[in-house]
Amino acid sequence: MSAGGDAYYNGSAEVGSKILSDRQLLREQLTPNARGLIVAMVGLPARGKSFISRKVERFLKWGGNRTQTFNVGKYRRDAVDPERSGKSDFFDNSNSDSVAQRMQMAMAALADAIKFLDEGGKFAIFDATNSTVARRQMITEKVTAGGQYSILWVEAVCDEREVVLFNMLTKVRYSPDFQHMTEEQAMQDLKQRIANYEKIYETVQDSEGAFIKLFNLSSKVMANHCYGRVAKSILPFLMAIHIGSRPIWLTRAGAGSPESKGQHGSDRASSLSQEGQDFAKRLAKFVKTRAQRYWERSGKPQEETQVFTSTMPRAVSSARCTAALIDQRSALNPIDKGVLGAGWWDVECAEDVPPWKEMDKRHPEFMKQFQQDPLYCQFPGGERYMDVVMRLESVLIDVEMCTSPVLIVSHITTLQVLLAYFKGIPVEEAWKLSLPKNMVVEVSPTEGGGFLSEEHDLCLSIDVGGNEPALDSAMEASF
Ligand code: SIN
């Protein structure tokens, strides 16, 4: 026992490495990233499975991964007219014909999901109820048969009446299954469909491998055997998403003053010019008015707008009067152009898109390479657009998590990447997106898991769609 104390605190590699629990062994087998992953939903109807699927698809695609959703309901409707297959008796487990048909559609969708991975896809989202252990076992066997792919179960568990009711209303309003019924008939029929599934439903068990259970759309989460990419990205994203609505405003930092560029002639430390200060005042007024309007309409007590800026003084000053607290993130700083931008494109760019034309004149060889692979082409000594995506992931998860209005003040290249997410534009095309100075893009979540976007030009008189409050004198005085 003489060396006990030291060994206890400093550790002994020899002892620890030999004691491997079953769980540790399983973990070591599961940790290497599989070539492809099936994210398979589990849950009764109207538990938000399709909402979660759409959100996850957008998020994974934005991360540069080939991702596709396979919705079994769509396969059913394509095969059997929704006027018949959308009715609750089609989901009656004692109706052997429809049970066989539903099984056939589910297997067709699964086969397509696996084919998608065979053809180079990275993530296939299998959007179905997958409500029994036996069904899930069969799916797991099919997915893992070749030893190349793994499966993650994402179970949506909802027992809060309001959340279920919200999901039911969204479903009857938008699903083609209910288009031929009145809202009242549709709600009644959907209740019966849910009752049919409840008779056979079994929650995911610990023995079923990797899973994430989301209770009432993220108020509580349980995760098992989640490693690698799933633990690092998918789990935090699933914990962040919710069905609440709030506006998210994205805008570029106000113009800097050339005199404040300092000895290096770089805009990194510059402060706002007169034009930039005027923009900041208009932005404060815009945010104040729109936030007020949002809170009045929501009927909830007003809370502070969540403000995220880059760490550039111009960006921070642009947002200074919009909230008491500003969350400065270096992840929102512009892409690092390495040696290529020095002296002419350090940070600020006046045009609506990055100065690609000028880049082409100065560095035509680089521009040629960049256009061939804009996501992975690296600015020599600097970053790739993909690096910007990776560093913005945590900001995006924070923004998804916010339940009150959000303002993001950043720069053209980073905003292009964020806009690709909100607008559902392939991230490889982000570099082309235009965002003029003095423009605010307002994005609002939709019930289906997407976003609507609207542009507000703050150069013009601020049309904020409500009564404009005046900036208070303390605000005015701070510029
Ligand atoms: C559906 O047909 O709408 C879903 C089928 C299922 O996954 O049970």
Side-chain angles (χ1 to χ4, degrees), residues 41 43 45 49 71-77 85-86 90-91 102 105-106 126-131 135 171 175 177 193 197:
M41 301 304 303
K49 296 185 299 300
N71 175 286
V72 174
K74 182 167 186 319
Y75 278 73
R76 166 179 54 75
R77 282 187 288 274
S85 74
F90 198 77
F91 298 87
R102 286 197 288 126
M105 318 312 169
F126 184 51
D127 181 11
T129 49
N130 297 319
S131 36
R135 168 71 70 95
K171 200 169 171 75
S175 166
D177 286 351
R193 186 194 297 194
Y197 274 103

Side-chain angles (χ1 to χ4, degrees), residues 225-262:
H225 288 315
C226 291
Y227 311 113
R229 182 74 205 244
V230 171
K232 198 168 72 82
S233 293
I234 300 180
L235 178 59
F237 180 75
L238 284 173
M239 289 173 77
I241 57 174
H242 57 82
I243 49 171
S245 170
R246 76 284 181 210
I248 299 161
W249 300 295
L250 300 105
T251 194
R252 292 171 63 181
S257 116
E259 301 84 60
S260 62
K261 282 193 175 180

Side-chain angles (χ1 to χ4, degrees), residues 50-344:
S50 295
F51 172 86
I52 296 167
S53 301
R54 283 191 281 267
K55 298 261 352 161
V56 171
E57 177 181 329
R58 179 181 292 254
F59 176 66
L60 292 172
K61 277 185 170 162
W62 179 73
N65 306 290
R66 273 194 65 207
T67 306
Q68 195 174 319
T69 298
F70 299 84
N71 175 286
V72 174
K74 182 167 186 319
Y75 278 73
R76 166 179 54 75
R77 282 187 288 274
D78 287 348
V80 184
D81 185 351
E83 191 148 355
R84 183 161 88 78
S85 74
K87 287 224 179 82
S88 54
D89 51 7
F90 198 77
F91 298 87
D92 180 346
N93 304 301
S94 60
N95 178 345
S96 54
D97 279 354
S98 66
V99 168
Q101 275 176 308
R102 286 197 288 126
M103 176 69 156
Q104 210 181 343
M105 318 312 169
M107 290 307 104
L110 182 66
D112 283 352
I114 295 174
K115 185 162 167 266
F116 171 74
L117 298 185
D118 288 341
E119 290 168 357
K122 183 78 182 149
F123 294 99
I125 301 168
F126 184 51
D127 181 11
T129 49
N130 297 319
S131 36
T132 64
V133 175
R135 168 71 70 95
R136 293 192 293 269
Q137 222 158 26
M138 184 182 61
I139 293 170
T140 302
E141 275 159 26
K142 283 187 189 290
V143 171
T144 55
Q148 300 193 74
Y149 309 132
S150 49
I151 188 157
L152 168 72
W153 299 107
V154 176
E155 182 174 3
V157 185
C158 276
D159 54 11
E160 268 177 25
R161 215 181 143 266
E162 295 71 29
V163 182
V164 176
L165 203 61
F166 172 87
N167 289 333
M168 285 176 73
L169 279 169
T170 308
K171 200 169 171 75
V172 300
R173 282 182 192 150
Y174 301 108
S175 166
D177 286 351
F178 303 98
Q179 296 310 300
H180 56 283
M181 301 182 202
T182 64
E183 194 166 297
E184 205 179 316
Q185 285 168 337
M187 287 297 273
Q188 213 40 49
D189 196 68
L190 181 54
K191 265 190 204 154
Q192 185 51 51
R193 186 194 297 194
I194 296 172
N196 287 338
Y197 274 103
E198 274 170 337
K199 287 181 196 147
I200 54 161
Y201 190 76
E202 294 165 305
T203 190
V204 177
Q205 313 290 313
D206 269 9
S207 56
E208 290 187 64
F211 69 75
I212 296 172
K213 292 189 194 209
L214 286 175
F215 296 84
N216 293 309
L217 275 171
S218 88
S219 61
K220 185 171 119 188
V221 167
M222 184 193 281
N224 190 34
H225 288 315
C226 291
Y227 311 113
R229 182 74 205 244
V230 171
K232 198 168 72 82
S233 293
I234 300 180
L235 178 59
F237 180 75
L238 284 173
M239 289 173 77
I241 57 174
H242 57 82
I243 49 171
S245 170
R246 76 284 181 210
I248 299 161
W249 300 295
L250 300 105
T251 194
R252 292 171 63 181
S257 116
E259 301 84 60
S260 62
K261 282 193 175 180
Q263 54 171 324
H264 302 294
S266 160
D267 166 62
R268 285 209 159 238
S270 75
S271 48
L272 289 175
S273 62
Q274 187 55 51
E275 185 198 332
Q277 291 182 29
D278 291 344
F279 165 73
K281 284 183 197 167
R282 288 198 298 270
L283 180 64
K285 217 176 219 180
F286 172 87
V287 167
K288 199 172 170 196
T289 313
R290 295 292 287 186
Q292 197 170 304
R293 195 178 82 138
Y294 163 76
W295 288 110
E296 274 165 18
R297 287 184 175 178
S298 77
K300 292 182 274 186
Q302 182 151 357
E303 285 174 29
E304 274 267 283
T305 296
Q306 310 272 319
V307 180
F308 298 91
T309 69
S310 72
T311 58
M312 307 279 152
R314 278 189 306 118
V316 182
S317 301
S318 299
R320 204 169 60 216
C321 291
T322 57
L325 281 180
I326 293 178
D327 195 344
Q328 296 183 38
R329 302 284 182 95
S330 58
L332 284 165
N333 288 350
I335 195 168
D336 182 346
K337 277 80 63 180
V339 294
L340 295 191
W344 67 276

